Amino acid sequence: MTDGQTYGFDTLQIHAGARPDPATGARQTPIYQTTAYVFRDADHAAALFNLQEVGYIYSRLTNPTVAVLQERIATLEGGAGAVCCSSGHAAQIMSLFPLMEPGRNVVVSTRLYGGSITQFSQTIKRFGWKATFVDFDDLDAVRDAIDDDTRAVFCESIANPGGYITDIPAIAEISDAAGIPLIVDNTSATPYLCRPIDLGATLVVHSTTKYMTGNGTVTGGCIVDSGKFDWSANDKFPSLSQPEPAYHGLKFHETFGPLAYTFHGIAIGLRDLGMTMNPQAAHYTLMGIETLSLRMQRHVENAQKVASWLENDPRVEAVTYAGLKSSPYYDRIATVCPKGAGGLFTFAIKGGYEACVKLVNALEIFSHVANLGDTRSLVIHSASTTHRQLSPEQQEAAGASPNMVRISIGIEDTDDLIADLDQALTKASA
Ligand SMILES: *Cc1c(COP(=O)(O)O)cnc(C)c1O
């Protein structure tokens, strides 16, 4: 299947990138548990190393099983190419790597996965990079935060922890005007619910650990390039527009056109940072992706029912799910994620911190874990775990107040999920 655009999502999630194994005819994609690939001769080897010919050299850069997953995700996102890597956090570093230099900054949303807040506010400083955090509902603030050293804008489509929906077209317009790429973390939505590239994003990153794999078995990440950004339009992106010393002065954008960023991600990013996805992980994720649309439909259906039930319960103070008419984000669903608002949201309960701790301890089907996007329903009390080190003001700004819990709704029977929440709320309010 090469002409992906003519098929529907449900067909592509099973077939894109895959073909019967040329050696054996095996119908399912084999796990190429292999490190190195034989060169036809010395000229072939030289052409591969010079990037004059595309092929397999060594699995830190490319592997046939991982390659199928890359093509599958690129197709589902409507991108030109994709690079898989070892985790979602690796994908975030890999996505910024070709764009950034010491002294440069990235403008990021305040509403992000907890681990991403730490990665951007602390760890990237070691590279001489900086993140400026802004409320992405305040478009003027986003515009004002961009300066001459800004090299990217970063947000989540359906954002943590409350399932908030980012106005991607409005943010894309701002980054376009500034001549810099918009990177959207599409982990919580998946390409089934949201297609950031169609809405104007340049790059999409994923933690494939979550819904894409779907069952809590492997960590992985992916960066998808739209192939639409003109890296040579200004002098901000020398890694892509200027001669690359490690490849005899080759210019990535001039040589590879819409695939420049993808080739850079493999030939420089994976080669030198080594954050490679292993073939076993690619296999598990390929298995998961085959049922992505079916699972996402159920996640959304269940989240909608559970959120509505919670909203009408007197023991509950507030529910953030964007699929509820009471949500300030409800109106964005039609443009940003027309097939539903996802499976992730927070709710506040009466009784504050103590009651939340009792609630998570009392839940039986919901597991208390720092994860999301599993077939299993998950819960976390952020204030006593992931956001424990923050001040009360910071907790509030992050949507992790002491009286709130975050839930990731699985694909179990909703009657069972509601019964579990009901008994735990009774214990929490006792
Ligand atoms: C989990 C997650 C990440 C980080 O991914 P890992 O695979 O855990 O490294 C990044 N963004 C979002 C939205 C996530 O949910």
Side-chain angles (χ1 to χ4, degrees):
M1 281 199 37
T2 44
D3 186 12
Q5 297 316 315
T6 58
Y7 294 99
F9 192 96
D10 292 0
T11 306
L12 293 171
Q13 71 185 356
I14 295 168
H15 292 286
R19 46 197 70 80
D21 183 51
T24 62
R27 189 63 194 84
Q28 186 51 279
T29 300
I31 306 170
Y32 283 88
Q33 196 63 54
T34 50
T35 333
Y37 307 87
V38 178
F39 306 121
R40 288 194 302 272
D41 54 32
D43 285 345
H44 177 221
L48 290 174
F49 275 91
N50 280 343
L51 301 181
Q52 288 156 341
E53 191 177 325
V54 178
Y56 297 104
I57 300 177
Y58 184 65
S59 284
R60 174 159 27 83
L61 291 88
T62 45
N63 169 281
T65 309
V66 178
V68 173
L69 179 61
Q70 289 174 162
E71 196 176 327
R72 176 100 28 109
I73 298 176
T75 306
L76 295 178
E77 287 286 2
V83 180
C84 282
C85 51
S86 52
S87 70
H89 270 12
Q92 290 172 190
I93 293 295
M94 289 267 300
S95 74
L96 291 174
F97 181 65
L99 315 176
M100 302 286 276
E101 291 166 306
R104 306 303 187 203
N105 69 70
V106 52
V107 170
V108 304
S109 168
T110 45
R111 283 180 284 272
L112 291 184
Y113 177 70
S116 304
I117 295 183
T118 311
Q119 188 186 50
F120 289 140
S121 63
Q122 305 297 331
T123 306
I124 65 168
K125 288 197 279 196
R126 312 265 183 112
F127 306 141
W129 308 348
K130 195 175 145 288
T132 310
F133 285 86
V134 189
D135 177 353
F136 271 40
D137 284 337
D138 183 346
L139 298 178
D140 287 333
V142 176
R143 222 173 270 120
D144 290 347
I146 297 174
D147 64 24
D148 289 345
D149 286 320
T150 305
R151 291 294 177 270
V153 174
F154 188 101
C155 62
E156 294 177 3
S157 47
I158 298 181
N160 258 285
Y164 312 115
I165 295 174
T166 307
D167 188 350
I168 299 174
I171 302 290
E173 205 179 305
I174 295 172
S175 61
D176 276 353
I180 52 176
L182 168 63
I183 308 174
V184 176
D185 181 340
N186 201 27
T187 300
S188 316
T190 81
Y192 181 67
L193 299 181
C194 175
R195 299 238 307 177
I197 290 173
D198 292 347
L199 301 173
T202 302
L203 303 165
V204 175
V205 294
H206 275 284
S207 166
T208 56
T209 314
K210 312 293 170 50
Y211 293 108
M212 295 287 246
T213 306
N215 50 27
T217 46
V218 286
T219 59
C222 186
I223 309 124
V224 184
D225 178 23
S226 62
K228 291 177 185 159
F229 195 85
D230 183 358
W231 304 108
S232 309
N234 53 43
D235 57 7
K236 289 186 172 171
F237 305 102
S239 301
L240 295 157
S241 63
Q242 297 304 308
E244 168 58 47
Y247 283 105
H248 305 299
L250 171 145
K251 294 182 184 172
F252 275 89
H253 191 208
E254 189 183 280
T255 310
F256 300 113
L259 284 170
Y261 184 93
T262 302
F263 271 75
H264 190 280
I266 294 168
I268 307 277
L270 288 180
R271 188 195 64 180
D272 296 342
L273 300 177
M275 300 167 168
T276 307
M277 177 180 278
N278 68 73
Q280 286 281 348
H283 166 74
Y284 280 110
T285 304
L286 281 166
M287 296 301 96
I289 280 190
E290 294 192 347
T291 57
L292 181 64
S293 63
L294 307 178
R295 287 184 287 108
M296 293 316 290
Q297 282 161 17
R298 180 65 84 86
H299 281 295
V300 168
E301 199 182 303
N302 283 5
Q304 191 72 41
K305 282 189 199 154
V306 173
S308 304
W309 181 82
L310 284 167
E311 191 177 43
N312 290 316
D313 191 287
R315 295 164 294 187
V316 174
E317 267 175 2
V319 183
T320 61
Y321 190 55
L324 297 173
K325 289 213 174 70
S326 57
S327 165
Y329 297 98
Y330 182 79
D331 290 341
R332 288 190 188 161
I333 295 175
T335 34
V336 178
C337 46
K339 294 202 187 95
L344 185 74
F345 60 90
T346 57
F347 64 97
I349 62 172
K350 293 176 184 157
Y353 187 99
E354 290 306 319
C356 286
V357 170
K358 281 190 203 156
L359 178 90
V360 294
N361 284 338
L363 283 165
E364 286 167 10
I365 299 175
F366 284 80
S367 307
H368 188 200
V369 299
N371 193 16
L372 59 92
D374 198 319
T375 47
R376 287 155 199 78
S377 289
L378 311 174
V379 62
I380 192 155
H381 181 225
S382 307
S384 63
T385 56
T386 50
H387 292 64
R388 199 184 173 82
Q389 317 300 344
L390 304 188
S391 68
E393 296 75 35
Q394 286 175 311
Q395 287 179 345
E396 185 114 10
S401 307
N403 64 337
M404 302 194 84
V405 295
R406 186 192 77 185
I407 51 181
S408 169
I409 298 292
I411 60 173
E412 301 100 332
D413 288 295
T414 29
D415 289 349
D416 295 337
L417 298 180
I418 289 172
D420 193 25
L421 286 163
D422 191 25
Q423 64 80 21
L425 279 165
T426 300
K427 286 184 185 142
S429 49

